[in-house]
Amino acid sequence: MELLKLAWRNLWRNRKRSLIAAASVFFGVILSVFLTSMQEGSFHNMVDNMVKFTTGYAQIQQKDFHDNRSINNSFKVSAVLDSLLNTQSEITVYTQRIESFALASSGENSYGVSVIGINPGVEEQISGFSKWVNQGAYLKSGEPGILIGESLANNLKIELGDTLALLGQGYHGVQVAGLFPVSGILKFPVMEMNRGIVYMDLNRARDFYDLPNGLTTLVIMAKGPEDIQQITSSVKRKLPEELEFYTWEDLQPQLVQLIDGKRSSAKIFKGILFMVIGFGMFGTVIMMMAERIRELGVMIAIGMRRIRLILILFTESLLIGFLGVLFGFIFSYPFIVYLSRNPINLTGNIEETINQMGFEPILEFSNNLSIFLHPAITIFMLTLIISVFPVVRIGNLKIINALGA
Amino acid sequence: MSIISIRNLTKIYDGSSVEVTAVNGVNLDFEKGEFAAIVGPSGSGKTTLLNMLGGLDRPTSGEVIIDGQNIWDLSSSKLTEFRLNKIGFVFQSYNLIPVLTAGENTEFIMHLQGKSREERNKRTKELLDEVGIGDRIKSRPNKLSGGQQQRVAVARALASKPTFILADEPTANLDSKSTENLLDIMEKLNKEENVTFIFSTHDARVVNKARRVITLVDGQVDTDVTK
Ligand SMILES: Nc1ncnc2c1ncn2[C@@H]1O[C@H](COP(=O)(O)OP(=O)(O)OP(=O)(O)O)[C@@H](O)[C@H]1O
Ligand SMILES: [Mg+2]
């Protein structure tokens, strides 16, 4: 009598109860799968948007630049590095930046600002940078114009077409200065960015800081955060010693923290969810045993080893869990796959708000395998834990008492 | 040489207030092929004696030696194996496994013994034919009458080819016709196949069929008569 057959028939004995127990697992799995898929999808979207506008998915810097953002800690892209990056299929694009500081003055007012030299074409391709230009035009390669934030323009009392003087420290500490026509005013959703950043063409920045062919930051883009590990492992150890590789997680610890926090609270919710399901399954197992205690006694009396009996009871709860998980997957998988390929476009007020923050107004879903794996493992673990009860109960069962039950 | 020797068997139950001596220093021997009834008033210790003999209830003192082995010296798992291979059980309330058919209930024991499928199928058919319900092989217990269920139970008890069969009041739940029928089957098996039966009973007709009648009073053997 194959274990499975006996277990299966025992489940059919009280169809309704087994069904209810399996259904609770089913709904738990579905809830967990959709919740996690949506959450991981939104993290994906959030990370993708954040890194596009700021650090990129990864960066290569001269190894001292992280602690001392001086123009002296710059480097040049060697032919070797260039070909290393070009051979990584996970890297969709990479671009060079110069990031440093300067004193911006106009008339009597001066403010310390961050100066960022970018490749206008590539940055536009990465993040659609030009959408932040509120007045005037976006940067063009080889042209002298600069972009400044709205608040900075107000503070300096300058307008489109006016000239801004920048005073900075170039390579080897040389004092550098230059006059730059303001060709565009930027309006970012984050106020601080409007106050203190000046963007210019990369080559203009090189001239200004006296850093021909140099850069401080090499920004690497990928399709998504899932590719970063691969890129890291193939690029990081091949870098020359004076360079350092950073992932977006190194560069954006606050974002990592935010995501971790949200993951933890979701875990608590899912923990409670599965605990409730676990208690339901536990109750079912207790009842399944209680009403069969005499039968279990008979089986031992006529010569069945207790361990086999325990195995049957374990198989019964395993089947309940398995059926719940299986149907949970069958039901949710097509939806998750569809949604992960066709994100929901948000509309109305939400769309506007998210657009203003510079994020894509979509609800993304993840179809990562772990979304399905985790609830399955959790249910399996629960089954194991619950089975401690039959182990103890059968182990201590007095045949005579059971027969008299 | 007897197949079963009971030596000084005693069972004392530690009741909450008083100790009850259910079986008190019983000595008995059984030979192969016996058809023995244990009788006695209610509370005289019949069930307790059979349970100790069947390896289900541990004696307070004394020995139960079956095929030369004191069964209460065995470890719990060895004892289970011993029950599986040497003892067939028939209970008062049939106690078939409700989710298994008559055939599967009979086969169950042989499955536990690890017998091959062919052997299991063959013997199951033979046994159910022998107890007269070969046509109900695919029926679940709840589709069978009490008498039919008890006949399946006898088939199940025989399936493992045990040294002897223990039956505690096997006919107590049966009407007189089923009782007669079951007794005929047991007698036939005993005579034709030399199966050893030890059963307890209150039923005079059952006592009449027995070739040996052991009477218990207050946990002690009062009379032991072989016809
Ligand atoms: N588990 C137990 N705990 C305490 N006392 C018990 C227990 N089982 C049986 N007894 C007592 O042991 C004595 C013998 O009981 P037993 O069941 O063996 O008698 P019996 O001859 O089978 O009776 P019956 O004909 O009613 O079945 C009785 O006094 C009974 O009350
Ligand atoms: Mg009794």
Side-chain angles (χ1 to χ4, degrees), chain A residues 87-98:
Chain A
T87 52
Q88 302 306 315
S89 57
E90 287 84 6
I91 298 179
T92 52
V93 63
Y94 70 89
T95 183
Q96 307 182 18
R97 287 181 190 165
I98 287 177

Side-chain angles (χ1 to χ4, degrees), chain A residues 1 18 35 41 45 59 70 79 115 137 152 266 269 300 327 366 393:
Chain A
M1 228 73 31
S18 306
L35 190 87
N45 190 25
Q59 287 190 359
S70 152
V115 174
L152 181 63
F269 173 77
I300 300 171
F327 282 98
S366 167
R393 189 79 179 81

Side-chain angles (χ1 to χ4, degrees), chain A residues 400-401, chain B residues 13 15 20 22 40-49 168-169 202:
Chain A
I400 293 301
N401 297 346
Chain B
Y13 285 114
V20 177
S42 187
S44 58
K46 303 181 294 293
T47 297
T48 307
L49 178 63
D168 190 13
E169 305 203 31
H202 279 295

Side-chain angles (χ1 to χ4, degrees), chain A residues 25 274 277-278 281-282 285 313-322 325 375-391:
Chain A
V25 174
F274 280 110
I277 293 169
M281 287 176 74
F282 186 54
V285 168
L313 288 158
F314 176 63
T315 309
E316 286 170 20
S317 30
L318 204 62
L319 274 175
I320 289 177
F322 177 75
V325 170
I377 292 171
T378 310
I379 292 291
F380 181 69
M381 297 307 263
L382 277 175
T383 311
L384 277 182
I385 295 168
I386 288 165
S387 295
V388 170
F389 178 72
V391 168

